[in-house]
Amino acid sequence: MVHSLTDVVHKPPGPAVLERVSKHYGSVKALEDVSLEVAQGEVLALLGPNGAGKTTAVSLMLGLMRPGSGRVALFGQDPRSPRARQRAGAMLQLSGVPQTLRVRELVELFRSYYPAPLPLERVAEAAQLGGILHRLYGQLSGGQKQRVHFALAVCGDPDVLFLDEPTVGMDVESRRAFWAQVRSLARAGKTVLLTTHYLEEADALADRVVVLDQGRVIAEGTPAEIKARTAGRQIRAVTRLSPEAVRRLPGVTSVQAKGNALQVLAVRAEPVVAELLRLDPGLSDLEVTGAGLEEAFLALTTPATKEAVR
């Protein structure tokens, strides 16, 4: 029981905070009155279609740009302060890494920027750099460069890690190994903010999901809560109907061809299935399942269905 105001325990703010932040590029509204807090020790996935404001939000938290209005804080400080930056690591889409240095030289250079960096061997193991430490960065494949970017992001042993589209260009094996490293960081108490277009990745890693669309937060919750919010159903069937014809049915939010079948997302399955059977009595291999995070994301960000799921 709380006996006085002095007994109230105030939860400290998370490592990274946006408070009623707006950022415009001329007439383009990248962010509009966005409030977002990344909690200590969580993995937060920031999702949204292209141009939703994800990269702008990350850049603001890192102090790479200033907001038009509102407050941005990193560990309670101005994100541009050296003390705050020493506690953060970042893996960004535009890295600016010198092409002519070898991987080992790059890692050692970035380690020198931090007061207590991780040993080279630990960095190389975490980022799967075995076999490429001696190679020139400019001669690496896209997936190998992503692994180097991850190494540079973690070499300072940061308390908060910003990962902007981190697994683009990685093969399946490398992506799964990367997921294992993110989970390991989370178990060690690190805070991770992740932006990704791979919805499976967000579902597998995130404690919480925030969905941005047109510069505003339109949904927030655990992956399970986001999926439940759409109340969507996925329908799969082999049919002679064209995707365009199915897309025009009431309640259908998206249609994709998958081999010889159509994969349909609908707000409610029953009326759509009834209409499919009416239009195509020969319909076969019918399956109805709950929507995953990818289907929920499409429902939340597709103009025709935004209001239906809010």
Side-chain angles (χ1 to χ4, degrees), residues 242-309:
S242 69
E244 292 73 22
V246 175
R247 195 173 288 114
R248 290 194 293 267
L249 297 179
V252 170
T253 59
S254 71
V255 180
Q256 289 183 301
K258 298 286 187 179
N260 65 341
L262 292 184
Q263 186 172 291
V264 181
L265 181 67
V267 177
R268 292 181 60 238
E270 292 81 359
V272 174
V273 169
E275 190 66 8
L276 288 172
L277 290 170
R278 185 185 72 81
L279 295 172
D280 181 9
L283 181 142
S284 63
D285 294 338
L286 177 65
E287 297 178 4
V288 179
T289 59
L293 187 60
E294 181 174 355
E295 291 75 32
F297 172 80
L298 289 172
L300 285 164
T301 57
T302 300
T305 57
K306 286 180 183 178
E307 294 305 320
V309 299

Side-chain angles (χ1 to χ4, degrees), residues 226-248:
I226 297 294
K227 287 183 279 191
R229 178 173 173 177
T230 65
R233 304 291 284 176
Q234 185 172 277
I235 304 162
R236 184 186 182 280
V238 176
T239 175
R240 61 177 176 79
L241 298 173
S242 69
E244 292 73 22
V246 175
R247 195 173 288 114
R248 290 194 293 267

Side-chain angles (χ1 to χ4, degrees), residues 100-112 120 133-137 152:
T100 55
L101 291 181
R102 300 188 185 278
V103 173
R104 178 187 290 272
E105 293 172 331
L106 282 170
V107 176
E108 293 287 21
L109 175 63
F110 273 68
R111 288 181 67 251
S112 71
L120 174 64
L133 281 171
H134 65 287
R135 294 183 58 186
L136 292 174
Y137 173 82
L152 303 183

